[in-house]
Amino acid sequence: MSLKKPVYYTPNTEDLRLEKLRDYQIMDTHSEDTFDKISLMASQVFSCPNAFITFIDDRRAFLKSNLSSLDINEVPKEGTLSYTTLLNDSVTVFNDTKKHSELRNHTYVKPDNGVRFYAGVPIKSPEGYTVGVISVTDEVPREATNLQLDMLKTLSKLIVDKLENRLRYRKSIESQINLMNIALHEIKNPLASINLANDIIRKDINSAERMTDMIKSSVQMMQKRLANLLTQSELEEKDLVLNIEEINIKEMFVRLLNNFELLANRKRQVIELNCDENLIVEGDRSKMSDVLHNLLSNAIKYSYYDTTIRVAAREAGNYLHIEVKDEGQGLNFEDIQKLFTKFAKLSSKPTGRETSNGLGLSITKSFVELHRGNIYAMSPGKDKGTTFIVSIPLKYRTVTDIEAVAELNS
């Protein structure tokens, strides 16, 4: 067969291939019995002394399993027969390498005890990206049979199954950790309201009735959200599930402002609300409330004393347009670049000794995107305030709905 020279070839899907390889987290890991057993089976099927499971990134060929006398675990990818298999993107066989002029000076072919027989099969992810190669070699020429090559293909599929199972398990663990982080974040604000209400009751017994109502509301909120998260955890899905219903945005804002009144009063802040009447949006009430709650909470937390926070909500075409504008510390360019990143450390600091765990905006962004919406922030610079803008479709559409509309418009 002919040899495609790596120097002239650049795969169009190389970035996607490398991303999948990174997802597997297999490079530079220790040898494992599972992979060595698969290599041993390959060696036995071909009656060859050498077998390899190789993963190839942008510059190296990493030998995850090396059943040979070679005392190495990685080599530069260029010039390796495994990389040739990756480029060919199919079963690659050299029954006698000496019969291929382009291989005669090959690093692993040229020596007297060099490779004379080679058979390699790509290790393909379910998406079709070749992340590695399983191969066998010998110092003498051989004839590979179709049955042997079919067995090698089967072994490559076993490797992919192993990688995918690990990936699913890891993502499941990450999903559970994310749910835990969300739970911890969502109970923090209701607990703060309860604590403030308790302080006011101790100072002014006449406000007890109003404060006990707030405490009851906060406790019910925590119970509902924790129950939702437990249900989500039982589903064992990565994406959060939405319970779609009609939501009156002004009513939701008014209720939130009542809850935030204590926090704002502590810093002598004024919250102005400008919201269209009867503004209805289809969405998950709990998660929409979390979005607005986090934005208002941040505005209060990072704004100075004696300032005004302006909240606006209106209909813009087929979208709900929300703005939360403060007169706080503002954002610099670096802040905006990493604003919605989990656990991001920003230059702004809470102005009233409040705590921050860096999760709020990350969670907010995920909830907005679940509603097929967008969120971004604008700031003229440090100490010039920040405006958060949220845009969400008034009518919720599933992925199937969106695909159907796209097909009609095409």
Side-chain angles (χ1 to χ4, degrees), residues 1 9 24-25 38 47 72-73 78 92 100 112 118 122 130 142 157 177 199 246 294 321 346 348 376 393:
M1 67 174 291
Y9 186 84
Y24 284 144
Q25 297 183 10
I38 295 176
S47 298
I72 55 174
N73 63 5
E78 284 79 7
T92 301
H100 296 269
D112 292 338
Y118 171 87
T130 300
R142 286 182 177 276
K157 292 176 181 177
I177 292 173
D199 289 344
E246 288 191 347
N294 285 334
H321 184 85
L346 305 181
S348 299
Y376 61 96

Side-chain angles (χ1 to χ4, degrees), residues 246 280-283 318-319 371-372 392-397:
E246 288 191 347
I280 306 297
V281 64
E282 290 182 355
N318 295 320
Y319 286 81
H371 285 84
R372 318 297 180 206
I392 292 177
L394 294 171
K395 299 290 185 180
Y396 179 79
R397 285 178 174 172

